[in-house]
């Protein structure tokens, strides 16, 4: 009885040959070294983390990644290492088809610079602390006073709204927090202060301020005021 035909045997041999070639190719590919390393920063060009810093973090076993064989480089480990950096929000490390080790880095975005006692740091959108960088100084509001008198989440909400609005981002340059949790803001181009009060009805108060500004700047009456009171959500009270 004929169990195998020549056609079947040839097909099996072809499959085994393909698998052997594929295995050999994969083995050679894993032993190859990277042609180069390419680092890409997402977002703005304001770099808290430099390419040099990222390159140093990529070093494995005292060797640059391009000097290591592909099979000896743990990409997941490198990503975790980068993600643990206090200036990096998220990273991705992968190898392109042409043998380039690519590193994509998304830095954290500061929304306020906090002065607390003798220390200074940034807050990002997620409420995480960021150290002051020697590479770049972010143009964000400066906050001082009784920081602990306000819930961190409320503070993050306030400055997130400010940073996402072009007018407020350009206009509000600082804030002082008082022991009762009330907050007073400083502006860029005018001498008046903004009495914001407690951090409640945040978006409504800021909307009121924007409406007031747009009206007052038209007739130049904005130059006469020393204080803009936003405590009352139904009206803006101005003091000359």
């Amino acid at each position: 009885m004929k169990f195998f035909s020549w056609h079947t045997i040839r097909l099996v041999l072809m499959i085994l040959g393909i698998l052997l070639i594929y295995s050999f190719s994969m083995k050679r590919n894993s032993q190859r070294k990277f042609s180069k390393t390419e680092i890409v920063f997402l977002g703005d060009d304001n770099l808290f983390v430099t390419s040099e810093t990222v390159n140093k973090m990529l070093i494995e076993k005292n060797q640059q990644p391009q000097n290591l064989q592909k099979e000896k480089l743990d990409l997941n480990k490198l990503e975790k290492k980068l993600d643990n950096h206090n200036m990096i929000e998220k990273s991705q490390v992968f190898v392109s088809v042409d043998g380039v080790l690519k590193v994509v880095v998304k830095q954290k975005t500061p929304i306020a610079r906090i002065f607390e006692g003798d220390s200074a740091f940034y807050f990002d959108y997620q409420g995480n602390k960021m150290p002051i960088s020697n590479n770049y100084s972010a143009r964000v509001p400066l906050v001082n006073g009784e920081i602990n008198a306000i819930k961190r989440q409320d503070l993050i909400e306030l400055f997130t709204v400010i940073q996402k609005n072009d007018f407020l981002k350009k206009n509000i340059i600082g804030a002082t927090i008082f022991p009762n949790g009330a907050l007073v803001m400083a502006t860029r181009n005018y001498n008046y202060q903004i009495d914001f009060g407690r951090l409640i009805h945040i978006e409504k108060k800021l909307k009121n301020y924007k409406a007031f500004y747009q009206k007052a700047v038209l007739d130049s009456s904005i130059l006469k005021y020393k204080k803009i009171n936003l405590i009352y959500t139904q009206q803006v009270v101005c003091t000359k």
Side-chain angles (χ1 to χ4, degrees):
M1 185 175 179
K2 203 172 184 180
F3 292 99
F4 299 102
S5 65
W6 171 243
H7 177 74
T8 302
I9 295 173
R10 186 171 59 179
L11 181 61
V12 171
L13 290 174
M14 286 177 61
I15 293 173
L16 289 175
I18 292 172
L19 291 175
L20 183 62
I21 293 172
Y22 177 76
S23 176
F24 177 73
S25 175
M26 290 293 292
K27 180 66 176 177
R28 286 193 61 186
N29 184 59
S30 66
Q31 292 177 343
R32 286 179 180 174
K33 295 180 180 180
F34 302 103
S35 57
K36 64 177 181 178
T37 301
E38 183 178 305
I39 300 172
V40 179
F41 291 97
L42 298 180
D44 298 333
D45 295 329
N46 307 325
L47 302 182
F48 294 100
V49 184
T50 64
S51 296
E52 181 182 2
T53 300
V54 174
N55 267 321
K56 287 180 180 179
M57 296 177 69
L58 294 175
I59 293 175
E60 288 280 283
K61 300 176 183 178
N62 297 319
Q63 294 189 62
Q64 292 287 349
Q66 58 265 32
N67 296 327
L68 291 172
Q69 294 178 351
K70 292 181 181 180
E71 65 177 1
K72 294 183 178 179
L73 195 63
D74 189 334
L75 300 182
N76 289 328
K77 182 181 176 181
L78 289 179
E79 282 188 359
K80 290 179 180 178
K81 189 176 181 180
L82 290 169
D83 290 346
N84 285 332
H85 192 280
N86 48 27
M87 292 291 193
I88 296 176
E89 181 177 321
K90 188 65 179 175
S91 66
Q92 185 179 10
V93 184
F94 60 96
V95 181
S96 65
V97 292
D98 53 350
V100 177
L101 178 65
K102 292 200 172 184
V103 183
V104 181
V105 176
K106 185 178 187 302
Q107 299 178 95
K108 291 181 179 178
T109 304
I111 58 173
R113 184 168 179 168
I114 310 297
F115 292 90
E116 190 173 27
D118 296 329
S119 64
F121 53 89
Y122 293 113
F123 269 149
D124 70 0
Y125 282 105
Q126 299 176 344
N128 299 316
K129 286 186 177 182
M130 295 174 57
I132 302 301
S133 172
N134 293 325
N135 301 316
Y136 175 76
S137 181
R139 195 173 183 179
V140 293
L142 309 179
V143 184
N144 58 51
E146 301 294 328
I147 306 299
N148 294 327
I150 293 180
K151 291 181 180 179
R152 179 181 295 191
Q153 190 55 45
D154 292 339
L155 200 63
I156 298 307
E157 180 185 350
L158 170 67
F159 288 105
T160 296
V161 174
I162 290 174
Q163 285 299 303
K164 288 184 176 181
N165 184 284
D166 287 339
F167 164 75
L168 296 173
K169 184 177 180 179
K170 293 176 182 177
N171 193 263
I172 306 297
I173 62 170
T176 299
I177 302 172
F178 292 90
N180 64 352
L183 186 142
V184 172
M185 296 178 177
T187 61
R188 186 176 306 281
N189 298 317
Y190 300 97
N191 293 324
Y192 61 76
Q193 65 180 28
I194 302 172
D195 192 351
F196 195 87
R198 295 180 181 276
L199 294 188
I200 56 176
H201 310 299
I202 290 174
E203 293 198 32
K204 175 64 176 174
K205 289 180 179 180
L206 291 174
K207 184 178 179 180
N208 287 348
Y209 172 67
K210 187 176 180 179
F212 153 78
Y213 181 93
Q214 291 173 338
K215 182 178 184 301
V217 77
L218 289 176
D219 57 11
S220 298
S221 61
I222 196 169
L223 298 173
K224 303 175 182 178
Y225 300 122
K226 292 184 178 180
K227 181 184 291 186
I228 310 299
N229 191 327
L230 301 179
I231 294 176
Y232 311 103
T233 57
Q234 300 303 317
Q235 59 182 335
V236 176
V237 180
C238 303
T239 302
K240 292 183 178 180

